[in-house]
Structure formats: C-alpha cells, structure tokens
Amino acid sequence: MSSSQSPKSPRSPASRGDKAASPEPSPAPPAIVALSAEEIREAGILPGAHWTEQPIEQVDDDGASTIGSIASTTASLTSTIFEYRTVHGRTYHGEIGNAESWEPNDQRHVDSMDIMHHAFTLSLGDKLFLSPLEKQKIHKVLDVGTGTGLWAIDFADDFTNAEVIGTDVSPIQPSWVPPNVKFELDDCNREWTWNKDSFDFIHLRMLIGVISNWSDIFRNAFRCARSGAYVESMVSSAFFRSDDGSVKKGSALEQWHSIFWEGGKKLGRTFKVLEDDLQKKAMEEAGFVDIAVKDIKIPLGAWSEDKKLAEIGLWWKMSLEEDLEGYLNYLCNALLGWTTEETAAYCAHVRKEWNDPNIHSYVWLRVVYGRKP
C-alpha cells in the first residue's frame, strides 16, 4: 500500500499544468515565535517536563510495522524544490507561497500518510468520497493538498476517463502513476490560478492546520468548479472524547486538543474546523447548494465491540503511531518550546493510553459536500 521516498531521494518532481500564469509569489510567512509560559498556562497545557517526570513502561516504537515492510526506492534529483526546511531533525517543505506546514515530509511521515489513506477509505465505508457523482459527467478533478497522492491515484483508477490533478506544497508523490494523473506544486492558500469552470469535482481532505482562510478556499473552489460540480471536504477533530469518562483530565489524550488548538492559533491556521463548522459555513457563503454534512465516530484502537469499527480504529491508531512524533514535533518544539526528549516522552504516554483497552477514546470525522448551481 505504501510507496516510499526520502528527502534525498524524492518520489518525483511535480509537473506543471496548463493553467493561468501564477501571481507574484507571496512573501514568506513571519518566523513563528513560541508561546509564552503564560499563554501555555492559560491554555491548560501541562509543561513538557511533566511528561518526562511521569514513569512509563517501555513502549514498542515499531508503529504500524505489523502491516508489512515498506519497500525503499531511490532517485537522484537536485532541483531546488527538494531543498527542505529542517526543524528538530525533521524535514518540512521549502518555500512555496506563504505555506507553513506543520507536518513533516520525510520518509517516516510519508509512510504514516499512506497508511492513513487506507484508514480514511475504511472510515467512509470503503469509499473515496461521499458526493453523489455521476461517473459519465466527471472529466476533470482537482485534489487539493494531495499529500502522497494515493487518493488521486485511486480516483483516477476508478474514473479512467477523467483527468486528475493533485496539488501540494511538498513533492512527495510517486513517479509511477496512472496516465490520467499529474501532480503540481501549489499553495492552496494563494489565489487559485485555475480557469473559471474548470473542474467537475474538487476534493479537499484533512486540511486542518493548513488553511489560513476557509472562506477564501471555498470561494476559489466555487469559481473553479463547473455548474453542477461537487466540492467535498473532510476534516477530523483534534479532541479526544470518551463516552464513559475513560479519557481523564490531565491525561495525554486529554491534553492533545489543547496542543493543536493553541498551535493553530499561533500559526493562524485553525485546527477547530469541525468544532467551528467552518466547512459548511464557508460553502454556504460561497454559494454552494444541496450541502450535506456527515459526522463519523472514529475510535482510536481496537476497543470497539463492533468488528468494523475496531478495524477502522486499529488502522487509525497504526497510521498515527507510524510517526506520532512527526505529528507533534513542530507544534511541541517550535510553538511550545518543548525539547525533543519532552515531546518523545509525551508521545510515549499517548501510545500507552491508546494501548490501554480500558480507555475508549474516539474523535469525530466530518465530511461536507455541496454542489455548484
């Protein structure tokens, strides 16, 4: 399921598409300043040292290795688009527009995202999307924030007569793809340069902590969608819940949302998309109709008595554990000022709680889609 790359041996350069000339590059984002101690206290976030002081059993860090080994490939490319930023030993995209990605783009994180693609598909009932698409009417598709490109590839395999374009700020997509797929480097926060009425379907998945203005994103999507086209957005909450009170106050899982919510404030790119209902609000504001909202309960781990939910929960857990430090590195180190050791200790406590069958944690996943009249 996973295809591999590394910062020094990337998957392929992103190709350039036939669209209008790009505007002048946006200035680079200002340097992020860590939250002050007072801001951290006000947010209810425990200090990093708290996690190093708490005893914990040794946790196996194999992550999702049980699903099989990941093949390694190499390629030589010296283009400047592969000159990544390095933060606390992890690599992040270079300067593309005014993007400021909190997720790394190195091999370990790519593996995690590939596994997560399968978890998302299972969560939607073995589907790539929920919009009521008519296959014969789908000719051109845009996948915004394509990541490792697996959604675009799978969609192109199903819709062989459609051209599928995936965009991202990191060139981490595979080079061997269906002939109807191409990938481009692009920051979706800039004004879109696609022509009006270009796409029959626009897909946006898990852009939490990425979008600086959700109204602008759906305004751009509305303009670039053809009449009758659907736009679909999926996000998850960062808030771990439990119906039985097993996610305790002060636990690692209870702290998770505070770290992401406060980090999002500092980045100017919110992680409270689901809680603030930003997808539906922005779609309505842009002019979409027939808007549908579906919330899906996602357990973390295999604790659910429902066999299908347990399978979904296991894949979510494996995908996150494949690179748990990667999901937390930028926010904890750059924004909270934690040391690498403190972040690793926090991650160990998160893993311990996910592996505890008495802790029944879950998050909400939300899919919203709408049609352009």
Side-chain angles (χ1 to χ4, degrees), residues 9-252:
S9 56
R11 296 180 169 199
S12 78
S15 62
R16 294 300 303 167
D18 52 346
K19 59 179 180 178
S22 298
E24 289 298 316
S26 302
I32 300 298
V33 179
L35 292 167
S36 67
E38 182 179 354
E39 288 174 316
I40 292 173
R41 284 195 300 272
E42 289 179 354
I45 300 174
L46 295 170
H50 169 83
W51 303 107
T52 61
E53 294 166 356
Q54 305 304 309
I56 189 168
E57 304 157 4
Q58 184 65 36
V59 178
D60 185 5
D61 193 24
D62 287 341
S65 60
T66 54
I67 67 168
S69 61
I70 307 297
S72 176
T73 61
T74 60
S76 176
L77 189 62
T78 58
S79 171
T80 56
I81 62 174
F82 296 113
E83 293 179 358
Y84 299 145
R85 294 178 296 130
T86 300
V87 180
H88 290 272
R90 303 300 298 271
T91 63
Y92 297 77
H93 71 84
E95 291 187 6
I96 301 291
N98 63 353
E100 182 74 17
S101 178
W102 57 278
E103 289 189 69
N105 62 5
D106 48 27
Q107 180 61 57
R108 187 176 177 186
H109 203 70
V110 165
D111 292 343
S112 173
M113 289 191 288
D114 278 351
I115 300 168
M116 183 62 79
H117 169 68
H118 183 65
F120 289 147
T121 304
L122 285 177
S123 301
L124 297 189
D126 298 315
K127 298 177 181 178
L128 293 172
F129 56 87
L130 297 183
S131 298
L133 304 185
E134 298 179 53
K135 184 168 288 190
Q136 68 275 14
K137 295 183 179 180
I138 305 302
H139 304 291
K140 193 170 183 179
V141 176
L142 178 64
D143 184 29
V144 180
T146 193
T148 63
L150 292 190
W151 184 93
I153 292 168
D154 285 352
F155 189 94
D157 282 337
D158 289 345
F159 289 72
T160 55
N161 293 322
E163 176 189 8
V164 182
I165 301 170
T167 65
D168 205 275
V169 294
S170 281
I172 56 174
Q173 300 76 38
S175 55
W176 293 100
V177 298
N180 54 330
V181 174
K182 63 180 177 180
F183 297 113
E184 299 192 3
L185 283 177
D186 199 14
D187 175 12
C188 63
N189 286 303
R190 300 162 71 184
E191 189 69 18
W192 292 13
T193 55
W194 305 107
N195 293 327
K196 182 180 179 182
D197 304 326
S198 292
F199 298 101
D200 302 298
F201 184 46
I202 298 176
H203 177 253
L204 310 95
R205 187 171 73 178
M206 291 302 288
L207 298 184
I208 53 172
V210 172
I211 303 303
S212 54
N213 188 312
W214 282 82
S215 294
D216 284 349
I217 287 293
F218 285 108
R219 174 182 55 78
N220 274 308
F222 188 88
R223 179 180 59 81
C224 295
R226 291 173 180 151
S227 177
Y230 279 88
V231 172
E232 179 167 317
S233 167
M234 173 199 285
V235 301
S236 74
S237 173
F239 195 111
F240 281 102
R241 306 169 187 273
S242 61
D243 294 333
D244 58 1
S246 54
V247 175
K248 304 292 186 183
K249 184 173 178 59
S251 66

